[in-house]
Amino acid sequence: MAAAPPTLLKRISVRLNSKRDKLKLHKSLGISCGLHFIFRYIVFARNSSYGFDAQSWLTVALLFTWHMSLSVSSLIFHVPAKRPASYVMMIWEEYRQHAIVFTLRSYVLALLSLFFSSETHPDDIGLYAIKFASVLGCHYL
């Protein structure tokens, strides 16, 4: 009698367990960030706002840092230097670097918008100059 094929959950579990992530840091960050995204979209569906305005700037900054740390924690894994032709869905080094840079760009802009909000600096033309320079600078990052 042939062995039953592995279930979908078993195949996912095998792929999520890595010898390089012994502390399960990247997996824990990935799952928790995914759940955080789901939570924020539920909040948005109910309130037409992601709910960041009801939290302190420190809490929001820590949440953004949490998501940034997910990208940085991917550096513990070995990935191919070039894109493999046979595995279309596999991550390679250049893709990982692009993902980290794009996440960093969003992270920097989000933190700048927290610290230089129009609520704390109403009608400040310097605020708009800082935001414009930040967006422009992050496009060249």
Side-chain angles (χ1 to χ4, degrees), residues 2 6 21 32 35 52 54 60 63 70 74 76 78 80 83 88 96 98-100 110 112 114 124 129:
D21 190 14
S32 60
L35 291 173
F52 290 121
V60 176
L63 288 171
L70 174 62
S74 71
I76 64 174
H78 171 74
R83 182 180 186 174
V88 179
R96 177 170 61 181
H98 279 279
I100 291 172
L112 284 172
L114 268 177
D124 185 2

Side-chain angles (χ1 to χ4, degrees), residues 39-93:
F39 169 74
R40 289 296 168 184
Y41 283 119
I42 291 170
V43 170
F44 183 78
R46 291 178 149 192
N47 305 326
S48 298
S49 166
Y50 288 108
F52 290 121
D53 50 347
Q55 296 174 324
S56 73
W57 68 268
L58 181 61
T59 303
V60 176
L62 289 174
L63 288 171
F64 291 154
T65 303
W66 174 26
H67 284 267
M68 182 65 215
S69 63
L70 174 62
S71 287
V72 174
S73 72
S74 71
L75 293 172
I76 64 174
F77 299 106
H78 171 74
V79 295
K82 296 191 182 260
R83 182 180 186 174
S86 58
Y87 299 106
V88 179
M89 295 300 291
M90 184 178 238
I91 293 175
W92 66 100
E93 187 61 34

Side-chain angles (χ1 to χ4, degrees), residues 85-136:
S86 58
Y87 299 106
V88 179
M89 295 300 291
M90 184 178 238
I91 293 175
W92 66 100
E93 187 61 34
E94 181 183 8
Y95 177 81
R96 177 170 61 181
Q97 290 173 3
H98 279 279
I100 291 172
V101 167
F102 290 142
T103 305
L104 178 64
R105 183 169 68 179
S106 297
Y107 175 72
V108 167
L109 290 175
L111 289 181
L112 284 172
S113 70
L114 268 177
F115 296 128
F116 298 108
S117 72
S118 52
E119 292 176 5
T120 57
H121 300 84
D123 300 326
D124 185 2
I125 193 69
L127 169 70
Y128 296 106
I130 290 171
K131 285 185 177 182
F132 178 75
S134 302
V135 170
L136 193 62

